[in-house]
């Protein structure tokens, strides 16, 4: 216990020193996803050894873990009680940590059916860019006291605080799972999905290379019936794990940059995304088109584009919003990290 | 942190004539109320114990007018309280005597229902229930359903991160809003969120539940969900409150996620019975109401499982409702519980603490002890499935000193929630009446961070000034609940 307390104090002291000097820090978990986002700079602040479960009461379906805990360790601990993380979390090669998962803010194929990582976060402890340890949210399902700063950490690429601990909602593990594969065009896939959503126990739906892959999970009896109704061939659970971890072959290979297009699910399949996920709302696109072209395409579909990885590491992750809104982002950033110490430039060239 | 804390929200000076000229010009002819008789209806919200008369009420019809009103108020440093349906239970829409009320009630158009993408685009003044009614034609519904859903608005729901009976399964407002268009207090419009509720920084998550402190939402895109094929509701009667609370914990521990899981104690049942004419079995000390939904097969399996657990937890009577009419009757008692309890005493004070569900039995027992100590009856009717308590303290405000004792008991109940790892507010918001509880839940450094975030959106503190986040100066005793006898929050306000 003392060693954990000391570790927290040490992180606070390190950040405080960096704040005083104005020198940036690169927050590192396992380092398995350093190639995502903009080029990391700064002294590494390694959190991989700050790991382990802080609190877990299975009857409550809530777990609190230290940021350096590998996602796989958390899943193993809760699986022993028939539970699983409410949000399916991508991981890279190596022991990807929960802290990294929160920073990147990605959720796997289950997102439309079980919610996003942001939905599953109940509370967090963070160290701000001045070296202050603060706690937001809590360990209960409903909590409206104070601004929701813990959710603000999701997808911020570590630019708003060093995540130390996070409380997450858990779900029961499905009794049984199955994957069905259907050969069809996207329009057919989309209309069939719409008919199944809310009626069948879907836990994932992706479309690529002319085939719709549907994952089901829930009570054994319900799965049997759903498989019969959907028909098609039997697919593999690995397809969804590979998609979750963004190592599915169909996602494309470098030197193309990997983008996420976040669009209304019924938006036309244009550009021809490599892989359609989330029942249509998330499309992965590996392309060498300039960022401006990709952002414009996403906007035309009524959505946004997010750049995950690519050779040019100077590109921003998101398109710049309207100047006044960008200034608002900047002011929020300045509250939590006034001297731009934390993961400087990782999300945006501005800070 | 760059924020220099202010003293307890000082009053702004009286606005000059130019302010009124500009305001009149910016609003439709019938869009500005200034006569005392017209202002009466806006003096309070659902927390009627606090009242204040605003300088005026602005009633814009368009978002452009909302922006113009904000720019004028910003220019003249006039505080603004945005108001939707006025149903807040924490004083979220309580006016300031030195400011105006900005009513969004006339921005009440449903801009689009998109069945293909299962979303709705709404103006902020659209009533919560109206969304589900409009979506029903497509077999869809909007999940958050606070008990005030007939009257409360989407804008207010976003401000308060409203929950409801079904949020255990379907989430709170924060889980169901994808994007907003929002003015900051300088009258600049921002677009936050997107088709998947994401953005470069998740300011949308910050705005939802910010109690009107960060901005004024003028458009929201919300997620709709397909209506479940099958729904079954169940009422289980227990011979003790302890058994009922234990049953709730057992249901949660079994991994069942009911669409709703509610508990009512004897006082609440008696009140509801007298109000609705609903009969509960003789000898009932507490009831658990549960609802499961889904496809036919899953629903039947979940229902059987749920029923077995409630039986094993010593439910002595079980009543099920399958048709929508049967369900309506079964839920009638729960939905009317607040007004029903309101008949038991001249006044009641509704608490909103949330605790881990495994602590239900213990916390309810301790609330009963506190209730006896203070000599103030407490009725319990609440969202047991997510641990969100609503102890209703019954009292008579006309008795001298009774309100102060009620607030003291309330403070003790919130301390109890915090001691069990909970929070002072699950869904009603902090508003004006849980500011002291905030001092107990957060450290001064955390409160300073909240104020700094507020300043990032609203540097002159024009929006809902003085609410939701206490000044660190107010929290004289860091880490301790600060409710002195006789020193009630907002003592300068009139009380009725």
């Amino acid at each position: 216990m003392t060693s954990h307390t000391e570790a927290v104090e040490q992180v606070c002291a390190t950040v405080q020193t960096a704040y005083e000097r104005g020198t940036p820090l690169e927050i590192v978990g396992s380092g398995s996803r350093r190639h995502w986002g903009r080029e990391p700079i700064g002294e590494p602040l390694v959190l991989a050894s700050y790991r382990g479960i802080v609190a877990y009461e299975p009857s409550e379906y809530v777990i609190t873990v230290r940021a350096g805990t590998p996602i796989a360790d958390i899943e193993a601990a809760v699986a022993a009680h028939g539970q699983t993380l409410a949000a399916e979390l991508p991981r890279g090669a190596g022991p990807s940590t929960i802290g990294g998962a929160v920073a990147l803010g990605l959720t796997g194929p289950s997102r439309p059916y079980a919610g996003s990582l942001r939905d599953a976060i109940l509370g967090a402890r963070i160290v701000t860019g001045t070296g202050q340890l603060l706690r937001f949210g809590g360990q209960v399902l409903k909590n409206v006291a104070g601004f929701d700063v813990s959710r603000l950490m999701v997808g911020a690429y570590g630019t708003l605080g060093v995540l130390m601990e996070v409380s997450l909602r858990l779900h029961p593990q499905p009794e049984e799972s199955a994957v069905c594969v259907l050969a069809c065009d996207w329009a057919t896939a989309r209309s069939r999905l719409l008919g199944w959503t809310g009626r069948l126990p879907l836990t994932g739906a992706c479309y690529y290379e002319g085939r719709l892959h549907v994952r089901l999970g829930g009570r054994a009896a319900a799965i049997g019936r759903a498989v019969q109704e959907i028909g098609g061939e039997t697919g593999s659970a690995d397809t969804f794990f590979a998609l979750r971890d963004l190592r599915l072959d169909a996602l494309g290979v470098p030197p193309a940059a990997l983008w996420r297009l976040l669009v209304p699910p019924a938006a036309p399949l244009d550009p021809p995304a490599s892989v359609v996920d989330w029942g249509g709302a998330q499309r992965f696109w590996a392309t060498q088109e300039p960022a401006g072209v990709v952002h414009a395409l996403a906007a035309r579909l009524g959505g946004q584009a997010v750049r995950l990885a690519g050779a040019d590491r100077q590109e921003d992750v998101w398109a710049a919003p309207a100047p006044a809104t960008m200034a608002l982002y900047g002011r929020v950033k300045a509250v939590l990290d006034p001297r731009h110490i934390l993961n400087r430039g990782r999300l945006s060239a501005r800070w | 942190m760059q924020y220099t804390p202010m003293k307890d929200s000082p009053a702004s000076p009286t606005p000059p004539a130019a302010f009124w000229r500009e305001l009149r010009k910016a609003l439709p002819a019938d869009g500005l109320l200034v006569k005392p008789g017209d202002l009466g209806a806006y003096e309070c919200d659902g927390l009627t114990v606090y009242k204040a008369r605003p300088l005026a009420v602005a009633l814009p019809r368009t978002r452009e007018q909302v922006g113009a009103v904000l720019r004028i108020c910003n220019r003249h440093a006039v505080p603004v309280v945005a108001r939707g349906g006025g149903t807040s239970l924490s004083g979220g829409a309580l006016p300031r005597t030195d400011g105006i009320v900005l009513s969004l009630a006339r921005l009440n158009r449903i801009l689009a229902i998109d069945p293909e993408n299962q979303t709705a685009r709404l103006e902020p003044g659209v009533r919560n229930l109206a969304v589900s009614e409009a979506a029903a034609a497509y077999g869809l519904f909007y999940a958050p359903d606070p008990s005030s859903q007939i009257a409360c608005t989407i804008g207010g729901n976003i401000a308060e991160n409203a929950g409801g009976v079904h949020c255990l399964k379907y989430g709170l407002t924060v889980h169901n809003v994808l994007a907003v268009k929002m003015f900051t207090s300088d009258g600049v419009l921002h677009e936050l969120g997107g088709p998947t509720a994401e953005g470069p920084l998740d300011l949308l998550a910050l705005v939802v539940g910010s109690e009107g402190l960060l901005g004024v939402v003028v458009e929201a895109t919300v997620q709709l969900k397909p209506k479940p094929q099958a729904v079954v509701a169940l009422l289980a009667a227990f011979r003790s409150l302890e058994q009922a609370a234990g049953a709730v914990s057992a249901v949660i521990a079994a991994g069942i996620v009911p669409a709703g899981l509610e508990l009512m104690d004897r006082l609440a049942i008696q009140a509801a019975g007298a109000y609705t004419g609903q009969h509960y079995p003789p000898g009932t000390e507490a009831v658990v109401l549960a609802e499961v939904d889904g496809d036919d097969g899953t629903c039947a399996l979940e229902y059987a499982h749920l029923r077995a657990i409630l039986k094993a937890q010593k439910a002595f009577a079980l009543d099920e409702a399958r048709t929508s009419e049967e369900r309506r009757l079964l839920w009638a008692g729960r939905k009317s519980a607040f007004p029903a309890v309101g008949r038991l005493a001249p006044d009641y004070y509704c608490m909103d603490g949330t605790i881990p569900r495994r602590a239900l039995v213990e916390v309810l027992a301790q609330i009963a002890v506190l209730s006896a100590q203070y000599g103030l009856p407490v009725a319990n009717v609440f969202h047991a499935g997510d641990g969100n308590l609503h102890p209703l303290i019954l009292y008579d405000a006309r008795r001298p000193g009774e309100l102060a004792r009620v607030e003291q008991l309330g403070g003790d109940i919130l301390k109890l929630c915090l001691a069990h790892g909970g929070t002072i507010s699950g869904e009603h918001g902090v508003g004006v009446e849980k500011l002291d509880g905030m001092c107990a839940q957060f450290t001064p450094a955390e409160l300073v961070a909240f104020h700094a975030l507020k300043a990032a959106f609203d540097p002159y503190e024009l929006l809902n000034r003085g609410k939701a986040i206490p000044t660190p100066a107010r929290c004289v005793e860091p880490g301790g609940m600060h409710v002195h006898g006789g020193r009630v929050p907002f003592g300068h306000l009139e009380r009725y």
Side-chain angles (χ1 to χ4, degrees), chain A residues 142, chain B residues 85 87-89 126-132 141-168 170-174 176 262 331 334-336 338-339 352 383 388 390 426-429:
Chain A
K142 288 163 89 177
Chain B
T87 58
S88 167
L89 294 172
V126 173
R127 291 174 307 109
N128 173 293
L129 190 60
V131 184
S132 285
F141 74 110
Y142 178 60
D145 59 344
S147 54
S148 56
Q149 69 179 150
I150 292 175
C152 66
T153 63
I154 291 299
N157 290 174
I158 291 171
E160 301 291 337
N161 191 13
V165 166
H166 290 98
C167 59
L168 177 59
Y170 294 106
L172 304 156
T173 301
V174 71
N176 290 281
E262 303 280 309
W331 279 107
R334 168 63 184 96
K335 294 214 163 168
S336 65
F338 282 26
D352 180 41
H383 312 303
N388 187 190
H390 288 324
E427 60 180 5
H428 295 169

Side-chain angles (χ1 to χ4, degrees), chain B residues 400-419:
Chain B
E402 187 145 304
L403 178 61
R405 277 199 310 128
V406 167
E407 290 185 332
Q408 211 168 347
L409 169 56
D412 283 349
I413 291 174
L414 293 186
K415 262 194 261 184
L416 191 60
C417 294
L418 289 177

Side-chain angles (χ1 to χ4, degrees), chain B residues 54-69:
Chain B
L55 297 174
V57 176
L59 290 152
R61 287 193 185 277
T62 67
R63 71 181 58 171
E64 290 74 20
Q65 291 166 3
V66 173
V69 168

Side-chain angles (χ1 to χ4, degrees), chain A residues 177-189:
Chain A
S177 295
V179 175
C180 302
V181 184
L182 299 163
C184 58
D185 61 21
W186 168 242
T188 310

Side-chain angles (χ1 to χ4, degrees), chain B residues 227-238:
Chain B
K227 275 201 209 175
Q229 240 180 339
V231 185
V232 193
L234 189 114
L235 186 145
F238 292 87

